Amino acid sequence: KQEVTQIPAALSVPEGENLVLNCSFTDSAIYNLQWFRQDPGKGLTSLLLIQSSQREQTSGRLNASLDKSSGRSTLYIAASQPGDSATYLCAVFNDTGNQFYFGTGTSLTVIP
Amino acid sequence: GAGVSQSPSNKVTEKGKDVELRCDPISGHTALYWYRQSLGQGLEFLIYFQGNSAPDKSGLPSDRFSAERTGGSVSTLTIQRTQQEDSAVYLCASSFRLAGKDTQYFGPGTRLTVL
């Protein structure tokens, strides 16, 4: 069974700092990987989706990389802002099956 | 535009009662998921619908849980004889095409509390 781990579980940084969130998965036979943001009391918002054939995706201040063979992905957030404070979830979709496997998330706090 | 909506937003029930949770996916989306997020836990897959195909029920934790999707649109998740361990946030998501091929759009969730 696919297992997804996110490190660190929580992170607190001052505003303006660049930061990296880590995601690892045990089964490299994935179809794609997706990073989500979850705000308290709200659903998930998709940030970036990386297909298994891709190495990275960028959207604004966010950059996600994928190393499928080593089972790792990173989400890089540049020039962090207080509005970035949220829980960030990584999810992988296997080559077989119908479900995303989610990590437990990294809770990010950006201090003004 | 309209996103995925879920109702109710909060549900408090007594142990042993049945509950129904509703999900309205984005119009035109053929794929629909139900997930459960327990306190301090990651998202747990429950069930997946794709078009008119038989649903993938492999994530349902017990036979007290069931779901249906009427007319390829609205979905209802039913939990019979609720237990305290059923307390969680239930999230619904939809995507345009086959599972995993498109971005999933999540609803705000239903917070279920079983007393």
Side-chain angles (χ1 to χ4, degrees):
Chain A
K1 179 185 175 184
Q2 179 74 270
E3 293 184 3
V4 182
T5 304
Q6 290 187 247
I7 295 173
L11 182 63
S12 183
V13 300
E15 180 177 3
E17 198 165 287
N18 302 326
L19 59 100
V20 175
L21 307 181
N22 297 293
C23 171
S24 61
F25 45 95
T26 55
D27 185 351
S28 62
I30 67 168
Y31 188 84
N32 63 38
L33 180 146
Q34 198 162 1
W35 282 93
F36 292 89
R37 168 185 174 141
Q38 185 174 30
D39 294 279
K42 297 185 179 180
L44 278 67
T45 302
S46 177
L47 298 173
L48 292 164
L49 185 151
I50 310 176
Q51 302 295 343
S52 63
S53 58
Q54 297 176 321
R55 297 286 292 183
E56 65 176 347
Q57 282 285 330
T58 298
S59 176
R61 294 182 294 108
L62 305 179
N63 175 277
S65 68
L66 173 64
D67 185 340
K68 182 179 170 182
S69 60
S70 67
R72 295 182 180 182
S73 176
T74 61
L75 179 66
Y76 175 83
I77 303 177
S80 58
Q81 302 172 358
D84 295 332
S85 298
T87 296
Y88 291 80
L89 294 165
C90 164
V92 298
F93 198 92
N94 280 8
D95 280 339
T96 58
N98 294 316
Q99 63 170 290
F100 274 103
Y101 293 88
F102 283 82
T104 52
T106 295
S107 177
L108 173 65
T109 302
V110 180
I111 304 168
Chain B
V4 179
S5 61
Q6 293 186 245
S7 61
S9 56
N10 279 284
K11 177 71 177 178
V12 180
T13 191
E14 294 179 348
K15 177 181 174 181
K17 300 286 188 181
D18 298 351
V19 296
E20 284 190 353
L21 312 179
R22 177 187 169 105
C23 172
D24 285 85
I26 293 173
S27 178
H29 280 195
T30 62
L32 186 148
Y33 286 86
W34 282 98
Y35 293 92
R36 176 169 73 173
Q37 188 174 33
S38 303
L39 187 64
Q41 303 293 317
L43 270 75
E44 174 188 7
F45 164 76
L46 297 177
I47 189 169
Y48 163 67
F49 295 91
Q50 176 58 51
N52 295 320
S53 302
D56 178 350
K57 304 179 182 180
S58 59
L60 294 178
S62 78
D63 58 8
R64 295 186 296 105
F65 288 72
S66 62
E68 62 178 23
R69 188 178 185 190
T70 54
S73 180
V74 172
S75 177
T76 302
L77 177 68
T78 301
I79 309 173
Q80 296 178 311
R81 305 181 302 282
T82 52
Q83 303 294 314
Q84 289 183 332
E85 61 262 29
D86 299 335
S87 296
V89 175
Y90 289 82
L91 291 162
C92 174
S94 71
S95 65
F96 181 60
R97 294 184 297 167
L98 290 173
K101 294 187 184 296
D102 278 324
T103 298
Q104 288 197 332
Y105 295 86
F106 279 79
T110 293
R111 181 175 297 278
L112 174 66
T113 304
V114 181
L115 302 177

